[in-house]
Structures are given as C-alpha cells and as structure tokens.
Amino acid sequence: MSKHSVAKVGFISLGCPKALVDSEQILTQLRAEGYEVSPSYENADLVIVNTCGFIDDAVQESLDAIGEAINENGKVIVTGCLGGKGDIVKDTYPSVLAVTGAHALEETMSAVHDHLPPEHDPYSSLIPPGGIKLTPRHYAYLKISEGCNHSCSFCIIPDLRGKLVSRPIGEVLQEAQNLVSAGVRELLVVSQDTSAFGVDNKYQTGFYGGRPVKSNFKELATELGKMDAWVRLHYVYPYPHVDDVIPLMAERLVLPYLDIPLQHGNVDILQAMKRPANQENMLKRIENWRKDCPDITLRSTFIVGFPGETQQQFDELLDFIREIRFDRVGAFAYSAVDGAQANALPNPVDEEVKQQRLQEFMQCQAQISREKLADKIGTTMRVIVDSEDEKGVIARSAADAPEIDGLVFVENIQGTTPGDFINVEISDSSEHDLWAEPV
C-alpha cells in the first residue's frame, strides 16, 4: 500500500443499470470497510474496473478501460460481465491482479483484501443510509433480481449472470425505503427480467415492516407504490400477469410507464429469436392497457438486421411500430455476440443493409414521437427537476426515464433543487423533448 493513511481504491463503472447497481454495492462495501474512493489514478492504491461484455463494442470499451487503468496505475482488479467470458481479460492483460464475474461482490472484495488489506477507520467508513450511489441524489436504481431464465438466441446474459435469482422481497423493500429516507425521489426498478420476480422461489412469502408480503411482481409494485417516490418499471417481459399492474398505474401508485422490450414485429423473426411471437395478442393487450390507463407511456427496444431478416419482414416491423405508436423506442443493428445461438443462423444481413434499416427505423419512430409530443402542447403535467442553469430548469416527466428518454426544459424559473416536483404547462416540442412554463 502507498503512504496514504487510509487505503484508497479507484473505480471505473461501465455497462447497464444492473452493472451500475453492482458497482454501487461494491463501493458501499469498500466504504463500510474503511476504504476511501479515489477520483484519480494517481492517488489510488489500486483500481477496480466493472466491465460490460454483452456486445463487441462494449467488450472493446471495457478492454480499453482496463488498459488505461493498467497504464495509469498498474494495479487493477477486473469484475463484471467481461470477467465471466473465459480468459479474454487475462489473455489481453496478464498483469491484472484478479478477475471476477458479474454480481460478484464477495469475490471482488476478497481480491481487494488480498492486494490491499483494509485499515479500518470509523470516520471514513461511515456510509449514508442508502449506500454509495453513482446516480444523482434524487433518483436511484433498485435491482430486484439477478440472472434470467430465458434463452433468447441473440443474448448471452444467462451465461454471464446465471439463472434468475430473486432477492428477498423484504430486503428489496427495506433498501427502497432506505433510499427514499435518504432523499431519493424516483426509484427505477431494474433486473434482467423484472416481471419474473419471485418465479424462482415460487412466490414465497417474505416480511416487511412486520407484515407478510408475497414475492411477486404485482405485490412488489404495490408495496413500492406506497413509498413517497416515483416508481418506474424497467425491463418488463410481457408475461400475462403484467396486465395486473396496469390498474396500479391508473391509480398512480406507480408511474404509468412500461419498459417492455419486444425486439421485433415479425412472427418468424421472433421465433428465431426465441421470443414471444403472438403479435395479435400483443396488439390487443396494448389496446387494453391504453383503455385502462389512457396516459400510459410505452417504451420498447427492437433489433434490426437479425440473421435471415428479409426486406418484407423489416417492413412488417415498421408497420408494427406504426400501428402501436410507441412513445419511446430504442433500436440496435444486430451484433454477433460471441457465444450467442443466433450466430449460427443462416443468411446474415449485410452490415450496410443493417445500418440502412436502423436509420429508416429510427426515422419512422422519430416521426411518431414528434407527433405524439406535439399533442402534449397546451397540457399541464408534473415534472421532476434534474438540474438548473441560467436558462431555467431541466426536468423530466413521468414519461421520461433518466439517460434514455426525453427532457422537459422549463423556462422562467429559478431556485429549484434536484428532486423537486413542479407543475408546468407544455409550450413547445421536438421529436424527443418538451419545453414548458411553470404554472
């Protein structure tokens, strides 16, 4: 260890919100054991890099980050999804101190102990009630489970993170309450498969606040909805029981926002992806959701250029999003992930065609989004403040998750604090964002 009186650890966090939660758990444990977190390579005794390994670009970004940490500091521990992909890290950087996989708090801390024994300091080890967070103070990700039971042909998450393991519901609810008590105003519920919560433990009964609570998706949403914060549901697989949560959205117990990745609109492609392929049923369900909760925001993600995708099948996908008119959409050109079953499928789509289809898809969705946001002009809504500058407030509505959706720019207002809720009237719109005045 260096001459610092307290052991210092640098930290680099890459990847999705689930990986971010893993990073927060490691950072919380580091602080609990008396380590300080260094903002620079120079002052760190070692550096932890939490990696992503889902697609090729993410693998390269992770390898680049590891290389930079080695060059700048020299003592590096690697954790995360890339660490679970065989020997790629050790083969590329033999000098790393240790490599662990995803969701590996104990293994990562063990490696830290081996190379940087803690000098416990009761002053530096004090941690806030909500733990160490990498998000702004007013919102936080709440991870409810790890792993996934599905075998989608384009995905290797079950190989990286294992089968579904739900956290005890009492533990999840207590963490949520701790976050709210610490000032969090928005809880973003995440996992690999949020609506499968409790499947692995047969929906066993847990306890929270001295009361029995069943471990299932609806009960979890209901209990979270009783807390003094917005509750936003992400990564919701379209099981039939998802319908049961829509009334909670209509009652405003949870935000009327559903992030439900559908991946495609053609039955044959969905079957090749090993995804649900009853599109007529999906259309009917969405129609019912909007009937029961008229202002529900629907977000989805799609893959274009999947192996074997014909022009006709792509056109069906465009017809699908035009018919449903999603509020928010993310799309990706298919990327051959090492180890994915889809790589063996015939008739791969040319890379240039993939990019053309992706551009056409996003242009189609941009027009839908532009029209839907224009319909909001003249309406009033409640927004949450993210930040403030000389022009006014940057906020988000119930329809906008941080980092991935749009913003609401509120003019002629000062003196707010991140996490404040304000009422605004929409005055203008673009294809992604809204402008508003306070009311």
Side-chain angles (χ1 to χ4, degrees), residues 325 369-379 426 429 434:
R325 293 177 65 81
S369 178
R370 184 181 298 109
E371 293 168 359
K372 298 200 77 166
L373 291 180
D375 289 340
K376 297 181 184 293
I377 295 175
T379 64
I426 305 304
S429 65
L434 296 170

Side-chain angles (χ1 to χ4, degrees), residues 190-206:
V190 297
S191 68
Q192 272 72 45
D193 187 359
T194 297
S195 44
F197 180 74
V199 169
D200 55 305
N201 59 34
K202 299 181 180 179
Y203 309 112
Q204 69 182 22
T205 299

